[in-house]
DNA sequence: TTGCACATACCAACTGGTATGTATATCTTT
DNA sequence: AAAGATATACATACCAGTTGGTATGTGCAA
């Protein structure tokens, strides 16, 4: 039996995936969990704080770890990036794609609406960008990545294409579209090699 | 003086851009417009129908025209696509980027939640995909686009990267990011040429 | 005088949030 | 170690405000 706080966090995360933050109903969460408002507001002072906790404790670690691990990759960094993209393809279930990337969803919904969300999501993207960018830079220094490419814009483009692939696949509600799009992205990354 | 229906439509569209569909408050719209519920519900049987009308009458035409016009473009279709991407860069204000692409926003928010939205947004994306895909195919037949590339996956990738660029730029709240990312996309499209 | 284009008044359901109560665990003092 | 004091982890009841939506009235043009 997991503790109540964790239960609230994970059930809210599920709701967030399905309905977005604004669409998430605190009442529904506690009803589903068979607890009461007292419990929820004991752990989280407000709905907004619950949202922040979901980002900090669930989304942030998951979505930075993937790219931070590029640090440990030996060999051409482009292959490291490709390996992670392939991993994302293998992880992408029909359900996953239908609901879209949680990070992407939340950025779209909350970035312009709330500073707290905006700062947190900005931080996650910057960590990702930094991780990919510095991996590419290391590759350049090792002569594995073409000198003429600009590492930071390339990192941004890779992230953009990745999130965009989630978007389009979600719009068309087809996992296959996600795979197709990522495959083209992999070719792009491949072309960064010397 | 524009007619009431149009006023409702456009004010709701503004609200939609700021707060999403679920976050759009019908009460606020009529208050801002200085009209009453009677007027709103006279023209739109429900909030959902109002949302559909926004997509059908405002978003759909705007976001298909841009790519359908590739049909008229003479010369290498890749240059036609690049011209449209450059146009989007020139059109992108700080405000625009902060709020994100309306099409993208709506896809993220409503595609998994409502069939009506889903079908409409799916249709828009398919029109865009078809337009870009067939432009590339024409280019191949004219020997202007490399034979080995697959036109449809490339079209999907271009759209993904475009929407993703909006996403990331919105998350980071920086217009410059959008421009940087699209610049890399332009290089990708450039590389499709023979 | 009929029908369209609204206005007014109202509602039921829901929303996040609060005030207060209480059982149980933990710490402190004797 | 017993007893009291205090903190934790919830439950219950409730609220003020908001939501989309409806039923009905009314002025005005054709």
């Amino acid at each position: 039996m997991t503790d109540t706080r964790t239960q609230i966090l994970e059930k809210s995360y599920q709701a967030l995936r399905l309905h977005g933050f604004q669409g998430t109903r605190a009442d529904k969460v506690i009803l589903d969990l068979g607890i009461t408002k007292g419990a929820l507001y004991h752990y989280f002072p407000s709905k907004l704080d619950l949202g922040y906790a979901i980002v900090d404790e669930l989304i942030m670690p998951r979505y930075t770890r993937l790219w931070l691990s590029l640090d440990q990759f030996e060999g051409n960094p482009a292959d490291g990036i490709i390996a992670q993209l392939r991993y994302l393809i293998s992880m992408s279930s029909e359900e996953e794609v239908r609901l879209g990337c949680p990070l992407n969803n939340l950025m779209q919904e909350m970035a312009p609406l709330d500073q707290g969300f905006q700062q947190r999501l900005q931080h996650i993207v910057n960590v990702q960008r930094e991780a990919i960018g510095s991996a590419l830079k290391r590759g350049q220094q090792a002569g594995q990545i073409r000198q003429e490419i600009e590492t930071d814009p390339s990192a941004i483009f890779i992230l953009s294409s990745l999130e965009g692939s989630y978007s389009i696949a979600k719009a068309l509600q087809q996992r296959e579209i996600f795979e197709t799009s990522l495959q083209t992205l992999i070719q792009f990354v491949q072309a960064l090699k010397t």
Side-chain angles (χ1 to χ4, degrees), chain A residues 111-182:
Chain A
L113 260 60
D114 178 86
Q115 281 261 340
F117 271 109
Q118 198 212 287
Q119 285 168 1
R120 283 168 171 81
L121 299 168
Q122 212 162 306
H123 176 251
I124 297 176
V125 174
N126 277 328
V127 168
Q128 294 181 333
R129 160 165 57 152
E130 167 67 22
I132 298 175
S134 66
L136 289 176
K137 195 164 283 177
R138 267 183 284 115
Q140 274 185 337
Q141 282 158 358
Q144 301 161 315
I145 297 287
R146 284 163 45 210
Q147 293 301 327
E148 69 270 27
I149 73 135
E150 294 176 285
T151 54
D152 194 52
S154 296
I156 291 171
F157 180 71
I158 290 168
L159 283 175
S160 293
S161 300
L162 172 61
E163 294 304 329
S165 300
Y166 278 111
S167 282
I168 300 293
K170 178 177 172 179
L172 298 179
Q173 301 274 302
Q174 286 180 52
R175 200 196 79 90
E176 205 184 78
I177 294 280
F178 177 70
E179 195 166 337
T180 301
S181 192
L182 273 209

